[in-house]
Coordinates of all heavy atoms in Angstrom, one line a residue:
M1 N 36.3 -12.3 -4.0 CA 37.2 -12.4 -5.2 C 38.6 -12.5 -4.8 O 39.1 -11.8 -4.0 CB 37.0 -11.2 -6.1 CG 35.7 -11.0 -6.7 SD 35.8 -9.6 -7.9 CE 36.1 -10.4 -9.4
A2 N 39.3 -13.5 -5.4 CA 40.7 -13.7 -5.0 C 41.6 -12.6 -5.7 O 42.7 -12.4 -5.1 CB 41.1 -15.1 -5.6
L3 N 41.2 -12.0 -6.7 CA 42.0 -11.0 -7.4 C 42.2 -9.8 -6.5 O 43.3 -9.1 -6.5 CB 41.3 -10.5 -8.7 CG 41.6 -11.3 -9.9 CD1 40.9 -10.8 -11.1 CD2 43.1 -11.4 -10.2
L4 N 41.2 -9.4 -5.6 CA 41.4 -8.2 -4.8 C 42.3 -8.4 -3.6 O 42.6 -7.5 -2.9 CB 40.0 -7.8 -4.3 CG 39.1 -7.2 -5.4 CD1 37.8 -6.8 -4.8 CD2 39.7 -6.0 -6.1
H5 N 42.8 -9.7 -3.4 CA 43.6 -9.9 -2.3 C 45.1 -9.8 -2.7 O 46.0 -10.0 -1.8 CB 43.4 -11.4 -1.7 CG 42.0 -11.4 -1.1 ND1 41.6 -10.7 0.0 CD2 40.9 -12.1 -1.5 CE1 40.4 -11.0 0.3 NE2 39.9 -11.9 -0.6
T6 N 45.4 -9.4 -3.9 CA 46.8 -9.2 -4.3 C 47.2 -7.8 -4.2 O 46.3 -6.9 -4.4 CB 47.0 -9.8 -5.7 OG1 46.2 -9.0 -6.6 CG2 46.7 -11.2 -5.9
D7 N 48.5 -7.5 -4.0 CA 48.9 -6.1 -3.9 C 48.8 -5.4 -5.3 O 48.5 -4.2 -5.3 CB 50.3 -6.1 -3.4 CG 50.4 -6.5 -1.9 OD1 49.5 -6.4 -1.2 OD2 51.6 -6.9 -1.5
G8 N 49.1 -6.1 -6.3 CA 49.0 -5.5 -7.6 C 47.7 -5.0 -8.0 O 47.5 -3.9 -8.7
A9 N 46.6 -5.7 -7.6 CA 45.2 -5.2 -7.9 C 44.9 -3.9 -7.2 O 44.3 -3.0 -7.8 CB 44.2 -6.3 -7.4
W10 N 45.4 -3.7 -5.9 CA 45.1 -2.5 -5.2 C 45.9 -1.4 -5.8 O 45.5 -0.2 -5.8 CB 45.4 -2.7 -3.7 CG 44.4 -3.5 -3.1 CD1 44.6 -4.8 -2.6 CD2 43.0 -3.2 -2.9 NE1 43.4 -5.3 -2.1 CE2 42.4 -4.3 -2.3 CE3 42.3 -2.1 -3.2 CZ2 41.1 -4.3 -1.9 CZ3 40.9 -2.1 -2.8 CH2 40.3 -3.2 -2.2
I11 N 47.1 -1.6 -6.3 CA 47.9 -0.6 -7.0 C 47.2 -0.1 -8.2 O 47.1 1.1 -8.5 CB 49.4 -1.1 -7.3 CG1 50.1 -1.3 -6.0 CG2 50.1 -0.2 -8.2 CD1 51.4 -2.1 -6.2
V12 N 46.7 -1.1 -9.0 CA 46.0 -0.7 -10.2 C 44.8 0.1 -10.0 O 44.4 1.1 -10.6 CB 45.7 -2.0 -11.0 CG1 44.7 -1.7 -12.2 CG2 46.9 -2.7 -11.6
I13 N 44.0 -0.3 -8.9 CA 42.8 0.4 -8.5 C 43.2 1.8 -8.1 O 42.5 2.8 -8.4 CB 42.0 -0.4 -7.5 CG1 41.4 -1.7 -8.0 CG2 41.0 0.5 -6.8 CD1 40.9 -2.6 -7.0
G14 N 44.2 1.9 -7.3 CA 44.7 3.3 -6.8 C 45.1 4.2 -8.0 O 44.7 5.4 -8.0
V15 N 45.8 3.6 -8.9 CA 46.3 4.5 -10.0 C 45.1 4.8 -10.9 O 45.0 6.0 -11.4 CB 47.3 3.7 -10.9 CG1 47.6 4.4 -12.2 CG2 48.6 3.5 -10.1
S16 N 44.1 4.0 -11.0 CA 42.9 4.3 -11.8 C 42.1 5.4 -11.2 O 41.7 6.3 -11.8 CB 42.1 3.1 -12.0 OG 42.7 2.0 -12.7
V17 N 41.9 5.3 -9.9 CA 41.2 6.4 -9.1 C 42.0 7.6 -9.2 O 41.4 8.7 -9.4 CB 41.0 5.9 -7.6 CG1 40.5 7.1 -6.8 CG2 40.1 4.8 -7.5
L18 N 43.3 7.6 -9.1 CA 44.1 8.8 -9.3 C 43.9 9.5 -10.7 O 43.7 10.7 -10.7 CB 45.6 8.5 -9.1 CG 46.5 9.7 -9.2 CD1 46.4 10.6 -8.0 CD2 48.0 9.2 -9.3
F19 N 43.9 8.7 -11.7 CA 43.7 9.3 -13.0 C 42.2 9.8 -13.2 O 42.0 10.9 -13.9 CB 43.9 8.2 -14.1 CG 45.3 8.2 -14.6 CD1 46.1 7.1 -14.1 CD2 45.9 9.1 -15.4 CE1 47.5 7.0 -14.5 CE2 47.2 9.1 -15.8 CZ 48.0 8.0 -15.3
I20 N 41.2 9.2 -12.6 CA 39.9 9.7 -12.7 C 39.8 11.0 -11.9 O 39.2 12.0 -12.4 CB 38.9 8.7 -12.1 CG1 38.8 7.4 -13.0 CG2 37.5 9.3 -11.8 CD1 38.1 6.3 -12.5
V21 N 40.4 11.1 -10.8 CA 40.3 12.4 -10.0 C 41.1 13.5 -10.7 O 40.6 14.6 -10.9 CB 40.9 12.2 -8.6 CG1 41.1 13.5 -7.9 CG2 40.0 11.2 -7.8
A22 N 42.2 13.1 -11.3 CA 43.0 14.1 -12.1 C 42.2 14.6 -13.3 O 42.2 15.8 -13.6 CB 44.3 13.6 -12.5
G23 N 41.5 13.7 -13.9 CA 40.7 14.1 -15.1 C 39.5 15.0 -14.7 O 39.2 16.0 -15.4
L24 N 38.9 14.7 -13.6 CA 37.8 15.6 -13.1 C 38.3 17.0 -12.8 O 37.7 18.0 -13.1 CB 37.1 15.0 -11.9 CG 36.3 13.7 -12.2 CD1 35.8 13.1 -10.9 CD2 35.1 14.0 -13.1
V25 N 39.4 17.0 -12.1 CA 40.1 18.3 -11.8 C 40.4 19.1 -13.0 O 40.1 20.3 -13.1 CB 41.2 18.2 -10.8 CG1 42.0 19.5 -10.7 CG2 40.9 17.6 -9.5
L26 N 41.0 18.5 -13.9 CA 41.4 19.2 -15.2 C 40.2 19.6 -16.0 O 40.2 20.7 -16.6 CB 42.3 18.3 -16.1 CG 43.7 18.1 -15.6 CD1 44.5 17.1 -16.4 CD2 44.5 19.4 -15.6
H27 N 39.1 18.8 -15.9 CA 37.9 19.1 -16.6 C 37.3 20.4 -16.0 O 36.9 21.3 -16.8 CB 36.9 18.0 -16.5 CG 35.6 18.3 -17.2 ND1 34.5 18.8 -16.4 CD2 35.2 18.2 -18.5 CE1 33.5 18.9 -17.3 NE2 33.9 18.6 -18.5
R28 N 37.3 20.5 -14.7 CA 36.7 21.7 -14.1 C 37.6 22.9 -14.4 O 37.1 24.0 -14.6 CB 36.7 21.5 -12.5 CG 35.6 20.5 -12.1 CD 35.4 20.6 -10.7 NE 35.1 21.9 -10.2 CZ 33.9 22.3 -9.7 NH1 33.0 21.4 -9.5 NH2 33.7 23.5 -9.3
V29 N 38.9 22.8 -14.4 CA 39.8 23.9 -14.7 C 39.5 24.4 -16.2 O 39.4 25.6 -16.4 CB 41.3 23.5 -14.5 CG1 42.2 24.5 -15.1 CG2 41.5 23.3 -13.1
F30 N 39.5 23.4 -17.1 CA 39.2 23.8 -18.5 C 37.9 24.5 -18.7 O 37.8 25.5 -19.4 CB 39.3 22.6 -19.4 CG 40.7 22.1 -19.6 CD1 40.9 20.7 -19.8 CD2 41.8 22.9 -19.5 CE1 42.2 20.2 -20.0 CE2 43.1 22.4 -19.7 CZ 43.3 21.1 -19.9
V31 N 36.9 24.0 -18.0 CA 35.5 24.6 -18.1 C 35.5 26.0 -17.6 O 35.0 26.9 -18.2 CB 34.5 23.7 -17.4 CG1 33.1 24.4 -17.3 CG2 34.2 22.4 -18.2
N32 N 36.2 26.2 -16.4 CA 36.3 27.5 -15.9 C 37.0 28.5 -16.7 O 36.7 29.6 -16.9 CB 36.9 27.5 -14.5 CG 36.0 27.0 -13.4 OD1 34.8 27.0 -13.6 ND2 36.5 26.4 -12.4
V33 N 38.1 28.0 -17.4 CA 38.9 28.9 -18.3 C 38.1 29.2 -19.5 O 38.1 30.3 -19.9 CB 40.2 28.2 -18.7 CG1 40.9 28.9 -19.8 CG2 41.1 28.1 -17.5
L34 N 37.3 28.3 -20.0 CA 36.5 28.5 -21.2 C 35.3 29.4 -20.9 O 35.0 30.3 -21.8 CB 36.1 27.2 -21.8 CG 37.1 26.4 -22.5 CD1 36.5 25.0 -22.9 CD2 37.8 27.1 -23.6
K35 N 34.8 29.3 -19.7 CA 33.6 30.2 -19.3 C 34.1 31.6 -19.2 O 33.5 32.6 -19.6 CB 33.0 29.7 -18.1 CG 32.0 28.6 -18.3 CD 31.3 28.2 -17.0 CE 30.4 27.1 -17.2 NZ 29.8 26.7 -15.9
N36 N 35.2 31.8 -18.5 CA 35.7 33.1 -18.1 C 36.6 33.8 -19.2 O 36.7 35.0 -19.3 CB 36.6 33.1 -16.8 CG 35.8 32.6 -15.6 OD1 34.5 32.8 -15.6 ND2 36.4 32.0 -14.6
G37 N 37.1 33.0 -20.1 CA 37.9 33.5 -21.2 C 39.3 33.8 -20.5 O 39.5 33.8 -19.4
S38 N 40.3 33.9 -21.4 CA 41.6 34.2 -20.9 C 41.7 35.7 -20.7 O 41.3 36.5 -21.4 CB 42.7 33.8 -22.0 OG 42.5 34.6 -23.1
Q39 N 42.2 36.1 -19.5 CA 42.3 37.4 -19.1 C 43.7 37.9 -19.3 O 44.6 37.3 -18.8 CB 41.9 37.6 -17.6 CG 40.5 37.2 -17.4 CD 40.1 37.2 -15.9 OE1 41.0 37.3 -15.1 NE2 38.9 37.0 -15.6
E40 N 43.9 38.9 -20.1 CA 45.2 39.4 -20.4 C 45.8 40.1 -19.2 O 45.1 40.8 -18.5 CB 45.1 40.5 -21.6 CG 44.5 40.0 -22.8 CD 45.5 39.4 -23.8 OE1 46.7 39.9 -23.7 OE2 45.2 38.6 -24.6
P41 N 47.1 39.8 -18.9 CA 47.7 40.5 -17.8 C 47.8 42.0 -18.1 O 48.1 42.4 -19.2 CB 49.0 39.8 -17.6 CG 49.3 39.2 -18.9 CD 47.9 38.9 -19.5
S42 N 47.7 42.8 -17.1 CA 47.7 44.2 -17.3 C 49.2 44.6 -17.5 O 50.1 44.1 -16.8 CB 47.2 45.0 -16.1 OG 47.9 44.7 -15.0
Q43 N 49.4 45.5 -18.5 CA 50.8 46.0 -18.8 C 51.1 47.2 -17.9 O 50.6 48.3 -18.1 CB 50.9 46.3 -20.3 CG 50.6 45.2 -21.2 CD 51.7 44.2 -21.2 OE1 52.8 44.4 -20.8 NE2 51.3 43.0 -21.6
H44 N 52.0 47.0 -17.0 CA 52.5 48.1 -16.2 C 54.0 48.4 -16.6 O 54.8 47.6 -16.6 CB 52.6 47.7 -14.7 CG 51.2 47.5 -14.1 ND1 50.3 48.5 -14.0 CD2 50.6 46.4 -13.7 CE1 49.2 48.0 -13.4 NE2 49.3 46.7 -13.3
D45 N 54.1 49.7 -17.1 CA 55.5 50.1 -17.5 C 56.2 50.8 -16.4 O 55.7 51.4 -15.6 CB 55.4 51.1 -18.7 CG 54.9 50.3 -19.9 OD1 55.1 49.1 -20.0 OD2 54.4 50.9 -20.8

């Protein structure tokens, strides 16, 4: 494919992969927070 030989195509592919990885990480964080619930910080006076 001639499209993959341009620099712009690789930049778009890299940005797309970055967004997919960021989405997966955020999904895992949200799932962990929802499973564990929010833990209130202890009040030390």
Side-chain angles (χ1 to χ4, degrees):
M1 290 187 99
L3 274 177
L4 292 179
H5 295 293
T6 62
D7 291 335
W10 290 109
I11 292 171
V12 170
I13 291 170
V15 170
S16 299
V17 169
L18 179 70
F19 273 104
I20 291 170
V21 170
L24 290 173
V25 169
L26 286 174
H27 178 264
R28 288 191 56 116
V29 169
F30 289 150
V31 167
N32 285 337
V33 167
L34 291 175
K35 279 184 181 177
N36 297 333
S38 62
Q39 299 172 349
E40 301 268 336
S42 59
Q43 298 291 338
H44 293 292
D45 290 336

